Each structure stands twice: as C-alpha cells, then as structure tokens.
Amino acid sequence: MKFGYFCNTTNWTHKPYHELLDETREITEYCDQNKWNSIWYTEHHFNHEGMESLTNPLMMGVDAAARTKDIRIGQACNVITFHNPIRMAEDIALLDQLSKGRVEIGIGRGIYGREAINLNKEADMKDQAKNFRLFEETLTILKKAWKEKFFNHKGEFYTYPAPDYVWQHDMSPPNKDLVNLETNVMENISVLPKPYQKPCPPIHQVVDGVRSIEWAAQQGLNIIMWIPTVKALKIKFEAFKNAKSEAEKRNVPMGEGISLVRDMFVANTMEEAKEKAGEHMVNYMRWVCHWRGLGNHMDPGEELPITKGKLDLLSYDFLHKRNMLFGTPEYVVDKIHELKSELNLQNLQVWSNFPGIKHEDCMKSIKLFTEKVMPHFKDDIDTEVKKVS
C-alpha cells in the first residue's frame, strides 16, 4: 500500500493566503519526513467562497520540490483543457527536472462550468463532447512534446508549428528535422526541457464513469477515483482491469494502476472525529453534491427514499458508513484492510484539511494516521522505500 496525501487546499475561514500556504507547506514537509509516498495538489479557480483555493498545482509542486527530499509530487489534477498544451508540457517537464524525477502527472477535464468558460471557451462544460475532444487532443500534444525531439500536430483546436512560419537564423543551421530545406518554412517544433523521467512521468486521469475508466485504460493511463462505496468501486476496478488487460494483452491484477482518494480524520475516539471534523466534511459534500447529487455515494441497485430536496439525506451518518475514514486508528485500519481485501487497493490518497477545519486538528489527524495507521502496512511502505532508494 502506497500512501499519498491529497492536499485539496481550502480556505473557508478566509485566512490570509500566506497563512494557507504555510499550513500547506507544513503538511508537505511532514509527509516527506515521515515516509509518505506522495502529495497531490489540486487546481481550482474563482472560488472566492473558500471551498477550493489552490489555482496552480505545478507552482505548489515547485515549492514542494525545493523543500522535500523523497516524496513524489502529484497533481490531482491539472485541468488540461484550460491550458495551452505546449506551455503545460514545458511546465510539467521543468518540475520533473527540478525534483529529479519525482513527478506524478495528474490530468482531468474539469467539473466546474464557471472555471471552464472563463479560462477557455472551447472547454465549456455545456458541450461535453467538444470538451472531451479538446481533452484528448491536448493529451496527444503533451505526449508528443515529451516523447519526440521534433514533432508536429494539426488538429481541431491546435496546429503546431504555426502554418507558413519561416525560420532563418545564422546560429541555427537549416535542419531537415525542423524546416523545409527549400523554403525554410517550419514543419516541426521542439519543446524543452524534456522530462527527467523517460519518456515521461506516470500519467493519472481523474475519472468517474465507466466509459472514462475504460478509455483511460485503453490509453495506458493510471486513474484516480474518489467517492464511491466499496461495492460500487468493485465494478469500476473490474472495468479498468478488464480494459487494461485487453489493451495490454496480459492479465492485469485487480487494483493495478488505480489510486483511491478517501476523506480521513483520525482521532482518539469515534466521537472526537465526528465532533472535530464531521460537519466540516459534510459541508464540503454539500458543495460537491450540489452538482453531483447523491448517486456517487450509493451501492449498486440501491434506492434512496424520495425527499423534497436532493440533499435532504446528506448527513454525517449517511456518509460515514459509505466512504469516510473517520474514527479511531483501529477503525481506520479496519476500513483500509477492507479496501485491500475487496479491491486489492495499492494506492490510497487521504486528506484532512477540510474547509473550516482547524489546522492544528488537521495536523493531529495526519500524525495519528502516520503513527497509528501506517505501521499496520509497514511491509508495504518499506518495500516501496527500498524500490525508490
């Protein structure tokens, strides 16, 4: 079992932003010093409410790379439909060079309409088919930029190099890999730097539905999931396993290539966990489920009572039994063992810095998880450390 910290930086109390950054750094440095495998930063925009307050996971990754030694640095995720693919390829490769190959690339299509329409109108969430085509083309360009010394691309959204551009420079001799030798019109382009990891760092797509899960497997991507119950996850894990096995012509083990995010708060008693963090987590889910509803929290075939409002059933007790790692170390250990037993889970990401939570309570939860939960999976952690070293 590899443990990662999902650092969904929130600022519900609207503290000065530099304080938020200092708290994020404390989490990052603690995890690095205590054998966590990875830390993952998120990307969200325009969230004046404070539910999600980090706009650039790559810049946070640069800060983390300078402050840490061993921990792998991920993004959950870069919303690649918002960004110029060449610039994003450069930035991710530069971070991989700065960290000496500690990057885990996370990619996604975006979920919030106000972000997409204001950052790239082509990514408008109202046209899901177009958004996916943009996502697919952007990913194609990223891979070309990392893996090929010179490349070109002509698609629906991007053309590289720009058509009919003439390149002539005394210090840049004509090169058939770059230009047409008769006209000096650029036919290819080269992006620098290339990643430290060859041909590129591992790529993880944040996914939800089975179609996205199967597509990611067919493209050779890893996946990250978050909310579903164990029974619902089993169907999704099997879909990924089957699609990956078919694509790679081998029997892929259950759980390979999958990371699961879980909401985590460890305390001395079950009551303390609920008291200190329960309502904060429920409040965050009210934000998320405003769009998603409660469907992602349900077991296959489960039917919920009809209520006047779509979130009337949302409560701590509703969530806790379905997907929350909230409680004593013993309780959390048992729940993780269930994930391993039922799903052969190999990569678990957890987070405790929910909107409104006190930072000292968050850190106490992380430390209890480190000291009282992770040792139960010590053989897994030690094996991974040996691989890295």
Side-chain angles (χ1 to χ4, degrees), residues 310-337:
K310 65 179 179 180
L311 301 184
D312 289 347
L313 297 175
L314 184 59
S315 67
Y316 182 84
D317 291 338
F318 175 86
L319 294 173
H320 187 264
K321 62 185 178 182
R322 295 169 183 272
N323 55 20
M324 292 171 68
L325 301 179
F326 271 49
T328 62
E330 295 77 15
Y331 176 83
V332 173
V333 167
D334 285 346
K335 298 303 286 185
I336 296 174
H337 277 308

Side-chain angles (χ1 to χ4, degrees), residues 223-277:
I223 61 172
I224 302 173
M225 289 186 282
W226 176 25
I227 290 175
T229 66
V230 172
K231 290 180 180 179
L233 283 170
K234 201 161 192 176
I235 295 171
K236 298 185 177 190
F237 273 53
E238 288 173 348
F240 185 77
K241 166 186 164 59
N242 293 337
K244 189 174 179 67
S245 295
E246 182 177 349
E248 299 183 5
K249 307 304 179 186
R250 66 185 179 96
N251 184 22
V252 173
M254 184 82 151
E256 181 182 310
I258 301 176
S259 294
L260 177 65
V261 178
R262 279 297 197 234
D263 314 314
M264 177 273 291
F265 195 88
V266 184
N268 293 320
T269 66
M270 300 297 289
E271 293 74 18
E272 182 186 1
K274 180 177 181 179
E275 178 184 346
K276 288 189 173 180

Side-chain angles (χ1 to χ4, degrees), residues 33-99:
Q33 293 162 8
N34 288 275
K35 294 187 177 181
W36 288 64
N37 173 262
S38 57
I39 188 158
W40 302 75
Y41 303 107
T42 60
E43 177 183 353
H44 286 290
H45 303 270
F46 315 125
N47 199 301
H48 65 277
E49 298 89 356
M51 282 295 182
E52 297 143 333
S53 301
L54 183 61
T55 58
N56 195 320
L58 295 175
M59 287 190 72
M60 284 304 304
V62 170
D63 188 71
R67 295 170 182 274
T68 61
K69 293 177 58 179
D70 299 314
I71 198 165
R72 296 191 63 78
I73 301 167
Q75 310 91 47
C77 60
N78 299 300
V79 186
I80 63 173
T81 54
F82 296 171
H83 300 283
N84 177 283
I86 295 294
R87 187 57 184 267
M88 174 139 283
E90 294 172 338
D91 288 349
I92 292 174
L94 181 57
L95 175 57
D96 200 42
Q97 290 287 344
L98 287 167
S99 66

Side-chain angles (χ1 to χ4, degrees), residues 52-305:
E52 297 143 333
S53 301
L54 183 61
T55 58
N56 195 320
L58 295 175
M59 287 190 72
M60 284 304 304
V62 170
D63 188 71
R67 295 170 182 274
T68 61
K69 293 177 58 179
D70 299 314
I71 198 165
R72 296 191 63 78
I73 301 167
Q75 310 91 47
C77 60
N78 299 300
V79 186
I80 63 173
T81 54
F82 296 171
H83 300 283
N84 177 283
I86 295 294
R87 187 57 184 267
M88 174 139 283
E90 294 172 338
D91 288 349
I92 292 174
L94 181 57
L95 175 57
D96 200 42
Q97 290 287 344
L98 287 167
S99 66
K100 294 289 197 298
R102 288 191 279 142
V103 167
E104 300 280 334
I105 302 169
I107 60 172
R109 295 172 52 195
I111 57 173
Y112 295 152
R114 73 175 174 187
E115 295 182 342
I117 196 65
N118 285 294
L119 289 168
N120 182 1
K121 65 180 182 180
E122 305 289 2
D124 188 355
M125 305 305 296
K126 292 179 181 178
D127 189 339
Q128 286 290 317
K130 185 177 183 182
N131 177 281
F132 178 77
R133 296 197 306 274
L134 174 62
F135 172 80
E136 185 175 27
E137 185 173 338
T138 302
L139 177 58
T140 297
I141 296 168
L142 290 173
K143 289 180 176 179
K144 287 182 177 181
W146 291 324
K147 297 179 180 181
E148 300 176 23
K149 184 175 181 180
F150 294 97
F151 76 95
N152 60 70
H153 178 84
K154 188 173 183 180
E156 178 181 356
F157 303 98
Y158 299 103
T159 298
Y160 297 113
D164 303 320
Y165 183 80
V166 175
W167 171 253
Q168 287 179 296
H169 194 289
D170 292 341
M171 297 179 71
S172 177
N175 182 338
K176 63 180 178 59
D177 293 326
L178 180 67
V179 300
N180 182 307
L181 295 180
E182 295 181 358
T183 63
N184 287 319
V185 171
M186 285 187 66
E187 295 183 340
N188 292 295
I189 198 168
S190 183
V191 172
L192 296 172
K194 299 301 182 188
Y196 186 94
Q197 299 173 82
K198 305 301 180 187
C200 68
I203 305 175
H204 310 254
Q205 183 185 352
V206 176
V207 295
D208 190 7
V210 169
R211 286 178 60 189
S212 296
I213 290 168
E214 292 175 339
W215 184 86
Q218 292 159 2
Q219 303 304 310
L221 307 177
N222 301 317
I223 61 172
I224 302 173
M225 289 186 282
W226 176 25
I227 290 175
T229 66
V230 172
K231 290 180 180 179
L233 283 170
K234 201 161 192 176
I235 295 171
K236 298 185 177 190
F237 273 53
E238 288 173 348
F240 185 77
K241 166 186 164 59
N242 293 337
K244 189 174 179 67
S245 295
E246 182 177 349
E248 299 183 5
K249 307 304 179 186
R250 66 185 179 96
N251 184 22
V252 173
M254 184 82 151
E256 181 182 310
I258 301 176
S259 294
L260 177 65
V261 178
R262 279 297 197 234
D263 314 314
M264 177 273 291
F265 195 88
V266 184
N268 293 320
T269 66
M270 300 297 289
E271 293 74 18
E272 182 186 1
K274 180 177 181 179
E275 178 184 346
K276 288 189 173 180
E279 187 55 31
H280 298 303
M281 189 63 238
V282 173
N283 197 37
Y284 182 68
M285 276 300 162
R286 291 190 185 105
W287 175 269
V288 172
C289 293
H290 170 83
W291 290 280
R292 293 172 177 257
L294 298 179
N296 275 8
H297 296 271
M298 296 166 58
D299 286 329
E302 181 182 9
E303 294 185 8
L304 298 177

